[in-house]
Amino acid sequence: MKKQLLFGLAIVLTILTGTVSAHATSATKGYKMQAGDLLVAHGANANSLGGVGGMFGHVAIATTANYVIEMPGENYGYSLKQNAHVTPKKTLFARHASPVAGSWVDVYRLPKAKQKAAKQAALYAYRDMYKKNNPNYAILLAGTLYQSNPSYCSKFIYLAFYNLFGTRAVKQFNTALHFVSPYGLNSTFTTAYKPQFLSKITAV
């Protein structure tokens, strides 16, 4: 009976948190990050702030095994200008994976057949979007979806795939003002490229 109750609680928690697996792990011990992984922050400390309006949730893309690119808004003292930042893996998870604060990071990875594409998108985000044209941060005043500057965390990643692979990788939206949320980013991918849930990170 006790085991059944525990199992039931696990199912309820999975539904409430929106994760597709009860599996949780440490960022340093149980997860090997690779370029192209999408890291979606949940719970406390997950909101992006800045400019006019704010956003629930946050998402970053891994560029290597040890670094990600993200647009965190005004959080952590960053300027809204040239807001894309390269952040160490350890720093990202220290900010967003805390059992005490009730926050965690869900990791998604593109299908095996699209791993090369994921790494190419990560490189493009770094080389062509961060290094050459680092965008300012804005949400309500972010212009059209297909305008690279200004931008926000999930739009930045969406455009990395769209600019490189077009509608093979992500859907194109007729409404230019379409908003891509951190929690809705995965739904913009086509079936062949759709990221798959890999792990839930609850601690550094």
Side-chain angles (χ1 to χ4, degrees), residues 37-41 58-62 68-71 92 153 157:
D37 282 357
L38 302 182
L39 311 167
V40 185
H58 183 58
V59 60
I61 183 169
V68 306
I69 288 184
E70 60 174 341
M71 290 192 69
L92 180 88
C153 64
I157 297 172

Side-chain angles (χ1 to χ4, degrees), residues 55 59 71 129 135-136 138-139 141-163 176 178-182 185:
M55 177 165 20
V59 60
M71 290 192 69
M129 299 173 71
N136 299 331
I139 299 175
L141 301 178
T144 70
L145 179 60
Y146 301 101
Q147 177 184 343
S148 62
N149 188 16
S151 195
Y152 49 87
C153 64
S154 39
K155 174 184 173 180
F156 183 82
I157 297 172
Y158 169 85
L159 286 180
F161 283 91
Y162 179 81
N163 291 344
H178 185 87
F179 176 72
V180 175
S181 74
L185 177 62

Side-chain angles (χ1 to χ4, degrees), residues 29-160:
K29 296 179 180 178
Y31 164 55
K32 293 183 178 180
M33 191 165 75
Q34 67 179 45
D37 282 357
L38 302 182
L39 311 167
V40 185
H42 293 263
N45 305 327
N47 299 337
S48 299
L49 305 173
V52 180
M55 177 165 20
F56 291 109
H58 183 58
V59 60
I61 183 169
T63 54
T64 68
N66 297 304
Y67 291 92
V68 306
I69 288 184
E70 60 174 341
M71 290 192 69
E74 288 182 317
N75 293 326
Y76 317 111
Y78 290 133
S79 168
L80 295 178
K81 295 184 180 298
Q82 297 185 325
N83 190 249
H85 288 272
V86 174
T87 304
K89 171 187 174 182
K90 186 175 182 179
T91 300
L92 180 88
F93 286 112
R95 291 171 174 169
H96 296 293
S98 169
V100 176
S103 57
W104 72 95
V105 176
D106 283 339
V107 180
Y108 293 86
R109 183 171 290 171
L110 268 65
K112 188 175 181 179
K114 300 303 178 183
Q115 285 300 298
K116 181 178 179 180
K119 293 175 181 177
Q120 289 173 330
L123 178 61
Y124 178 85
Y126 174 79
R127 183 188 59 204
D128 293 88
M129 299 173 71
Y130 165 71
K131 296 289 285 185
K132 293 183 180 179
N133 187 30
N134 193 329
N136 299 331
Y137 184 94
I139 299 175
L140 294 182
L141 301 178
T144 70
L145 179 60
Y146 301 101
Q147 177 184 343
S148 62
N149 188 16
S151 195
Y152 49 87
C153 64
S154 39
K155 174 184 173 180
F156 183 82
I157 297 172
Y158 169 85
L159 286 180

Side-chain angles (χ1 to χ4, degrees), residues 170-184:
V170 290
K171 302 170 186 175
Q172 184 173 23
F173 298 94
N174 294 328
T175 304
L177 297 177
H178 185 87
F179 176 72
V180 175
S181 74
Y183 300 145

